[in-house]
Amino acid sequence: MRNYIKLIRPINIAIIIAVVCLMQCCIINPIMARYNVSFDNFWLIFTLEMVATVTIAASGYVINDYFDTKIDEINRPSKVIVGHGVTRAQAATYFQTLLIIGNIAGIALAILLKNITLVFIYAGVSGLLWFYSSSYKRQLLLGNFMIALCTFLCVFLVGYIANKALFLKYQENITLLPEFEKDLTTLFLGGAIPCIYMWTIGFALFAFQLTLMREMVKDIEDIEGDREMECRTMPIVWGETTSKIIITVISAITIALVGFFTAVICGWTGVSPIFLIPFENDNTTLSFSVILAVFLLFFIGQLWMAHCKSGFASASMTLKITMVLGLCYSIVFNILI
């Protein structure tokens, strides 16, 4: 049983659960409370969403270890489970079971919300995780973007599902509620609350960029085993220095976007944040942004000083901490709103 738990990366799964809970409880619920709306079957919808997200993500970790046994025996031999604590046949069955549970939950959620798109999204993510592990992760940049996209969807889907549940309950009549006349009367898009989309997209984009960088750093860390297996990852094709430059540029873009987002929601740009709930001259938001910028700058320093596996592993851990810290801003949002 212990090996089965290790296969699904319990720490990563715990982070996924925390992220979904933070988005729902600290972003979406407060926004709905602000506008005095709610959706029916909340706990059933939330439970199905959590089961689908967690089990499909867990299946991705299992199938990744299934296909990466030879690479992992070179890069991290002490952590290889498939073929040692768990047979390949058992791992395959484990993957299939998790995937089936996740997609059944996704189908049930789609039926409940009368939204067929969710079936294709969950099936599509399942397919992405399979193809990523079997071949795409060995291709230049493709695997990195696929994992980053899955992370983006993990966050964004919480807002998407909430808006679809609201639309199911209120239909277009939601725009007639007096609560929305204050600032969103003309900004409703197909029964969706724009600020739910924009806040979840903001967090999802942040998670996307941090995940993309982390995947690129892991490619540098795992270059020895990847080269042995004839993979075409970025450091193998373009070299370590070029890879560091690209990662640094993405880090700089992330810092710039965090700064811009902070300026907008604090009202410093002179432009009305139409789809956001502004917090005028909010020092807490500014402090959070400064802390994130410091962590990212520290990461850049770690990246350029790293010349061995342990150095890149430390840089990768800094990115994970930064991502978790950034997502925790949702708690601040819940307090400020």
Side-chain angles (χ1 to χ4, degrees):
M1 180 58 69
R2 185 179 179 182
N3 287 323
Y4 282 96
I5 294 174
K6 284 184 178 180
L7 267 181
I8 62 172
R9 314 284 206 284
I11 294 177
N12 289 359
I13 291 297
I15 292 174
I16 291 173
I17 293 172
V19 166
V20 174
C21 289
L22 285 173
M23 290 300 102
Q24 183 65 58
C25 299
C26 295
I27 299 294
I28 296 168
N29 287 357
I31 291 176
M32 291 195 299
R34 177 188 176 100
Y35 297 117
N36 196 27
V37 294
S38 62
F39 54 81
D40 298 327
N41 301 311
F42 171 81
W43 286 110
L44 178 57
I45 290 172
F46 185 68
T47 300
L48 289 172
E49 176 186 358
M50 184 69 79
V51 170
T53 300
V54 169
T55 53
I56 290 175
S59 72
Y61 292 129
V62 175
I63 198 63
N64 184 68
D65 281 4
Y66 178 89
F67 281 112
D68 275 5
T69 302
K70 293 182 179 179
I71 293 177
D72 289 342
E73 285 177 346
I74 298 173
N75 291 328
R76 44 183 70 85
S78 62
K79 296 183 178 181
V80 176
I81 298 175
V82 178
H84 296 268
V86 176
T87 67
R88 292 183 64 82
Q90 289 172 331
T93 301
Y94 192 25
F95 160 73
Q96 292 166 358
T97 302
L98 290 169
L99 198 66
I100 290 171
I101 293 172
N103 279 277
I104 288 175
I107 292 170
L109 185 59
I111 293 172
L112 188 62
L113 296 179
K114 299 179 181 179
N115 186 271
I116 193 66
T117 302
L118 284 171
V119 176
F120 294 107
I121 290 175
Y122 285 119
V125 170
S126 300
L128 280 178
L129 292 173
W130 169 272
F131 287 112
Y132 164 80
S133 299
S134 61
S135 60
Y136 291 161
K137 72 173 296 181
R138 297 167 178 79
Q139 303 302 315
L140 179 63
L141 294 179
L142 184 57
N144 303 137
F145 277 100
M146 288 175 69
I147 291 299
L149 176 61
C150 289
T151 304
F152 177 93
L153 288 173
C154 176
V155 180
F156 171 72
L157 275 176
V158 187
Y160 178 83
I161 289 169
N163 265 328
K164 294 306 174 185
L166 286 171
F167 181 68
L168 182 66
K169 179 177 179 178
Y170 296 98
Q171 302 295 318
E172 291 82 356
N173 293 328
I174 193 170
T175 57
L176 302 178
L177 296 175
E179 289 80 4
F180 290 98
E181 294 176 2
K182 299 173 183 177
D183 47 19
L184 289 176
T185 302
T186 62
L187 299 176
F188 247 74
L189 308 174
I193 300 180
C195 58
I196 286 182
Y197 274 143
M198 296 312 295
W199 277 98
T200 50
I201 286 175
F203 282 104
L205 182 59
F206 178 78
F208 173 90
Q209 291 176 291
L210 270 290
T211 301
L212 180 61
M213 287 189 287
R214 189 163 179 267
E215 288 298 310
M216 290 177 172
V217 172
K218 286 167 63 180
D219 281 345
I220 302 177
E221 180 186 352
D222 294 341
I223 191 171
E224 182 181 347
D226 290 345
R227 183 178 283 121
E228 185 71 21
M229 298 304 297
E230 299 182 349
C231 298
R232 298 186 69 256
T233 59
M234 185 171 66
I236 292 176
V237 176
W238 291 339
E240 183 178 308
T241 301
T242 301
S243 298
K244 286 183 176 181
I245 292 173
I246 293 172
I247 296 170
T248 301
V249 170
I250 298 174
S251 299
I253 292 173
T254 304
I255 294 173
L257 287 175
V258 169
F260 175 74
F261 184 80
T262 302
V264 170
I265 66 174
C266 289
W268 300 336
T269 60
V271 178
S272 176
I274 298 175
F275 295 122
L276 299 173
I277 297 174
F279 306 126
E280 294 292 338
N281 299 316
D282 175 50
N283 292 327
T284 307
T285 299
L286 176 60
S287 300
F288 239 88
S289 299
V290 170
I291 292 172
L292 290 177
V294 169
F295 267 81
L296 286 170
L297 289 172
F298 177 69
F299 158 72
I300 292 173
Q302 281 185 305
L303 178 67
W304 284 97
M305 291 176 63
H307 297 288
C308 61
K309 289 179 68 69
S310 60
F312 291 114
S314 296
S316 178
M317 180 57 66
T318 298
L319 281 178
K320 180 179 284 191
I321 294 171
T322 306
M323 184 191 302
V324 172
L325 184 62
L327 292 170
C328 282
Y329 176 74
S330 58
I331 300 173
V332 175
F333 175 91
N334 187 31
I335 296 172
L336 294 176
I337 192 172

